[in-house]
Amino acid sequence: MRLPDMPLHDPFVVADDRTRTYHLYTSNDPSVSGVEGTGTMVYRSHDLLDWTRPVVVFRAAEQRGMWATDGGWAPEVHAWGGRYYLFTTLHDEDRPLPLPPPNPWGVPFQVPTYRRGTVTAVSDSLLGPFTVVDPSRPTPPEHLMTLDGTLHVDPSGQPWMVYAHEWLQTIDGTIEAVPLAADLTRTVGDPVFLFKASDAAWISEQIPGGVPNQLPPYVTDGPQLYRTPDGSLLMLWSTYEKDVAGDDGTISGRYVQTWAVSRSGDLTGPWQQHRPLVRDDSGHGMLFHTFDGRLMMILHRPFDNARGKLYEMRLDGHELRVLRQRTDLDGGG
């Protein structure tokens, strides 16, 4: 298989040095895996061009006492303490959360919120099977509607789950972090606010004044962190770039891949927001190194019926740049 033929959303690559194999994780798609149900599947490749048919490494319905079996979004796999840990987001629309308090912007935006969050599962193999460490609840606080948890380990060795706090609950979506136990099985502190979507001032710069009550929500999606050689901390994240369409003032959004940098190198920032790396309905990217040392970014495009797109990247100090899309690998588009 090749990337143009591979359905995938929220791609995450693990380059396994031992086997010289790239593992590309995404939500289970029964049309290609042949396995029904919410879960995670993985494609494998030695060259980023030709990929095996996917195998399923996690199924929510197989977890005894599982609090939710829908979603299966944004799977990531991280090596830690000699084992492999899967983070993936589940939800249960039949378990509502209390309505949030009135927002400070006076925006009349009341939508149902329900239990959603990232779970942690563990395996001794990159190919699973992965078993949830706590089937009774998500890893972040369960009263928060969250998604897209990722692992970050700070310079002291403290592991964190960094996640997006849903715009459905906040209007202005945030990126937050919660400290984890040394074995990643539970939280050991309260969430820490990192930044909010509207901190990226370019999001709304095309919207004229006088329409604040028509503004759609500010979305945070898909955080992923990367330590630069100069000690800065980069974060890839995705959102919607807002625009005005038509004479009625209707505001639309386009999914984009953007980034931020903490020059201090600290997870708490301060975070400086940068303009998007890739537009064109693209996002939920992550960075990885090829076996020959190239820095690559993989993301999905378009948002619906998504396929994986690969970009060769360059770091100049803490400045991240796109060198070129690897159309030889992803088929272009």
Side-chain angles (χ1 to χ4, degrees), residues 52-124:
T52 64
R53 296 197 68 83
V55 296
V56 173
V57 299
F58 170 77
R59 288 186 69 236
E62 291 179 347
Q63 312 297 310
R64 180 174 296 179
M66 196 68 206
W67 64 271
T69 55
D70 290 326
W73 302 341
E76 300 189 2
V77 172
H78 300 272
W80 181 260
R83 307 189 79 187
Y84 297 100
Y85 288 81
L86 167 72
F87 292 176
T88 188
T89 300
L90 300 176
H91 62 250
D92 183 354
E93 296 185 17
D94 294 327
R95 302 183 72 174
L97 294 173
L99 285 175
N103 64 79
W105 305 277
V107 179
F109 190 77
Q110 292 290 336
V111 294
T113 57
Y114 45 86
R115 208 174 187 199
R116 172 181 290 164
T118 298
V119 299
T120 303
V122 65
S123 175
D124 292 321

Side-chain angles (χ1 to χ4, degrees), residues 24-51:
L24 173 50
Y25 295 89
T26 188
S27 301
N28 180 44
D29 186 330
S31 70
V32 286
S33 71
V35 177
E36 295 294 328
T38 297
T40 301
M41 64 184 190
V42 61
Y43 301 95
R44 286 166 290 164
S45 174
H46 295 292
D47 58 9
L48 297 175
L49 178 64
D50 293 301
W51 298 82

Side-chain angles (χ1 to χ4, degrees), residues 75-256:
E76 300 189 2
V77 172
H78 300 272
W80 181 260
R83 307 189 79 187
Y84 297 100
Y85 288 81
L86 167 72
F87 292 176
T88 188
T89 300
L90 300 176
H91 62 250
D92 183 354
E93 296 185 17
D94 294 327
R95 302 183 72 174
L97 294 173
L99 285 175
N103 64 79
W105 305 277
V107 179
F109 190 77
Q110 292 290 336
V111 294
T113 57
Y114 45 86
R115 208 174 187 199
R116 172 181 290 164
T118 298
V119 299
T120 303
V122 65
S123 175
D124 292 321
S125 169
L126 284 167
L127 298 180
F130 286 88
T131 302
V132 171
V133 298
D134 184 355
S136 69
R137 49 158 294 164
T139 301
E142 55 191 312
H143 68 282
L144 304 180
M145 193 177 188
T146 65
L147 76 167
D148 297 352
T150 189
L151 179 66
H152 171 68
V153 182
D154 69 23
S156 73
Q158 171 65 54
W160 297 78
M161 180 179 283
V162 179
Y163 58 85
H165 188 173
E166 277 277 37
W167 60 270
L168 290 165
Q169 200 174 41
T170 64
I171 303 294
D172 196 353
T174 63
I175 300 293
E176 300 172 3
V178 65
L180 300 175
D183 61 1
L184 308 188
T185 60
R186 57 188 174 85
T187 61
V188 291
D190 295 327
V192 176
F193 169 85
L194 304 185
F195 61 82
K196 59 187 184 299
S198 65
D199 288 344
W202 52 264
I203 289 179
S204 300
E205 64 188 5
Q206 297 188 61
I207 299 176
V211 290
N213 288 338
Q214 297 181 41
L215 290 181
Y218 290 88
V219 174
T220 48
D221 253 0
Q224 191 245 347
L225 294 108
Y226 182 89
R227 179 74 62 185
T228 66
D230 73 357
S232 299
L233 189 60
L234 301 185
M235 186 191 300
L236 297 186
W237 65 286
S238 292
T239 188
Y240 285 86
E241 185 175 41
K242 299 176 179 25
D243 199 357
V244 176
D247 296 331
D248 60 355
T250 301
I251 300 168
S252 61
R254 294 164 293 182
Y255 201 53
V256 297

Side-chain angles (χ1 to χ4, degrees), residues 191-320:
V192 176
F193 169 85
L194 304 185
F195 61 82
K196 59 187 184 299
S198 65
D199 288 344
W202 52 264
I203 289 179
S204 300
E205 64 188 5
Q206 297 188 61
I207 299 176
V211 290
N213 288 338
Q214 297 181 41
L215 290 181
Y218 290 88
V219 174
T220 48
D221 253 0
Q224 191 245 347
L225 294 108
Y226 182 89
R227 179 74 62 185
T228 66
D230 73 357
S232 299
L233 189 60
L234 301 185
M235 186 191 300
L236 297 186
W237 65 286
S238 292
T239 188
Y240 285 86
E241 185 175 41
K242 299 176 179 25
D243 199 357
V244 176
D247 296 331
D248 60 355
T250 301
I251 300 168
S252 61
R254 294 164 293 182
Y255 201 53
V256 297
Q257 179 63 63
T258 190
W259 65 294
V261 60
S262 169
R263 292 287 303 277
S264 70
D266 196 287
L267 181 61
T268 58
W271 287 94
Q272 178 185 0
Q273 301 296 328
H274 289 258
R275 289 184 174 273
L277 295 163
V278 183
R279 289 181 162 91
D280 301 323
D281 202 20
S282 307
H284 206 108
M286 59 86 63
L287 297 169
F288 68 98
H289 285 278
T290 62
F291 295 123
D292 61 0
R294 298 175 188 266
L295 181 63
M296 299 286 283
M297 178 173 70
I298 188 169
L299 50 73
H300 68 241
R301 183 169 66 242
F303 190 86
D304 296 320
N305 195 28
R307 295 295 186 270
K309 303 298 176 183
L310 286 163
Y311 291 82
E312 196 168 331
M313 309 297 288
R314 178 176 174 176
L315 264 176
D316 294 316
H318 58 269
E319 295 293 324
L320 186 62

